Amino acid sequence: MINIKSKRIAKLEEYITHKQQASYDELVDKFAVSKNTIRNDVQELIKSGKIMKVHGGAAVKNPVHEKSQNNEVTKPLTSFTYRKETNLAGKQQIAQQAATYVQEGDIIFIDTGTTVLEMIEHIQEKTITIVTNNIDIILRTIPFENLTVYSLGGLLDRRSQSFTTLQAQEIIKKYNINKAFLAATAISIKNGITSSIPEETELKSYIAKQIDQKFLLVDHQKFDKVALTTYCDLNQLDYLITDRLPNNKYVEYCTNNKVELVTANPNKGVKKCL
């Protein structure tokens, strides 16, 4: 019996590691055991330090990344649930700082991402208009009647919990957006701002070129990494907001290209480099 359990737990770890994240229901179907058994097995894996608990399931604690030829890390897209749990405190700091740039009457675009999502808590009392393609942002704004929300609509992409549509660029042209709060899977000086979802690249690229003020919200874990597609260069941004000061090459690059680099840290205060 013990041997059977050990083998099952080993296969469970292998499965979650391969998938990066899995729900309890998925694991019950895969391994043909009860949900209580799966919960107990997952708890054993959590003790090992390799697996972490997320809402409704389990995920790898440190997703596998691969090195590219230019020595930057190729970053895969993990589940939205997993990403919401990762470095949450840092993301909240970034979002709180980003919210200070939102003024009464603004018409803003909020991208799909787990960092920009945290902005809602800090703008919920402002009278503004939000344009977005993300389901979670829409749901979080429901209680606040002062937040007017427009959705771009389209096909639901469960990887990012957002809508994608071929008409997104034409739709967003109709809105007089003055500020865009953008997300990214990864960022590097050579490859720029990158995303793991090609279907969103055209929309993000248009916003980076056309909107007056562009704010990129990324935590320190995304620097010197690269994802599947580039949607804009770093020098197209107006503000880069993060939770830790990146290395000097980013500080110098932002200074030389007039990108305001903002580091939000409650223990050290807000640091701006321009």
Side-chain angles (χ1 to χ4, degrees):
M1 181 69 117
I2 295 175
N3 190 38
I4 293 173
K5 179 180 178 182
S6 298
K7 287 182 178 179
R8 184 180 65 244
I9 291 176
K11 289 182 179 179
L12 182 66
E13 180 180 357
E14 182 181 353
Y15 182 81
I16 296 172
T17 301
H18 175 71
K19 296 274 292 188
Q20 301 285 299
Q21 188 264 348
S23 69
Y24 288 132
D25 289 339
E26 178 183 348
L27 296 173
V28 166
D29 291 340
K30 175 68 178 178
F31 293 93
V33 294
S34 69
K35 186 171 285 190
N36 282 339
T37 298
I38 287 295
R39 289 181 188 274
N40 291 334
D41 288 352
V42 167
Q43 193 60 41
E44 291 293 323
L45 292 174
I46 290 171
K47 291 177 182 178
S48 73
K50 297 178 181 179
I51 301 296
M52 64 181 288
K53 184 179 179 181
V54 296
H55 181 69
V60 290
K61 202 165 189 178
N62 296 298
V64 177
H65 299 158
E66 298 177 353
K67 289 269 187 174
S68 63
Q69 290 183 347
N70 61 10
N71 209 37
E72 292 174 337
V73 176
T74 302
K75 188 172 183 184
L77 183 70
T78 52
S79 75
F80 199 83
T81 301
Y82 172 84
R83 287 181 283 131
K84 281 199 292 188
E85 302 289 337
T86 305
N87 192 27
L88 181 58
K91 291 174 180 179
Q92 290 171 337
Q93 294 163 19
I94 295 167
Q96 184 174 5
Q97 178 60 33
T100 65
Y101 295 96
V102 180
Q103 306 298 321
E104 292 287 330
D106 275 347
I107 303 172
I108 68 174
F109 173 80
I110 301 183
D111 200 1
T112 289
T114 57
T115 304
V116 290
L117 176 62
E118 298 300 323
M119 286 183 64
I120 303 302
E121 179 181 350
H122 306 288
I123 60 175
Q124 61 189 32
E125 295 182 0
K126 297 181 180 181
T127 303
I128 60 172
T129 299
I130 299 170
V131 181
T132 188
N133 56 344
N134 183 259
I135 295 172
D136 287 73
I137 289 170
I138 295 169
L139 293 175
R140 286 202 186 184
T141 60
I142 287 175
F144 311 111
E145 294 184 2
N146 49 300
L147 301 178
T148 301
V149 182
Y150 290 91
S151 169
L152 298 181
L155 177 69
L156 174 61
D157 189 326
R158 289 177 173 82
R159 294 169 296 174
S160 58
Q161 296 186 195
S162 64
F163 295 110
T164 60
T165 173
L166 295 175
Q167 288 77 43
Q169 184 173 323
E170 292 301 317
I171 294 170
I172 208 162
K173 282 181 181 179
K174 300 175 182 179
Y175 298 102
N176 295 315
I177 298 168
N178 62 317
K179 295 171 185 173
F181 294 87
L182 297 166
T185 307
I187 174 175
S188 71
I189 291 174
K190 180 177 180 179
N191 293 93
I193 316 305
T194 55
S195 170
S196 294
I197 304 179
E199 294 85 354
E200 295 182 356
T201 299
E202 185 177 352
L203 173 63
K204 291 174 182 281
S205 296
Y206 174 80
I207 290 170
K209 291 176 182 177
Q210 300 297 327
I211 305 304
D212 287 341
Q213 290 187 295
K214 284 86 63 178
F215 301 77
L216 180 68
L217 282 60
V218 289
D219 66 39
H220 67 278
Q221 297 175 335
K222 296 185 177 182
F223 284 83
D224 283 329
K225 295 181 174 68
V226 58
L228 184 60
T229 60
T230 297
Y231 70 82
C232 77
D233 292 326
L234 184 52
N235 60 13
Q236 291 179 252
L237 301 174
D238 297 291
Y239 297 85
L240 171 57
I241 307 177
T242 187
D243 57 333
R244 294 184 192 174
L245 188 67
N247 62 43
N248 285 335
K249 68 180 180 181
Y250 287 95
V251 176
E252 292 176 5
Y253 182 93
C254 289
T255 300
N256 293 337
N257 289 277
K258 297 182 179 180
V259 177
E260 186 165 327
L261 175 59
V262 181
T263 307
N265 188 310
N267 298 320
K268 298 180 181 179
V270 176
K271 184 172 182 179
K272 299 182 180 181
C273 301
L274 183 59

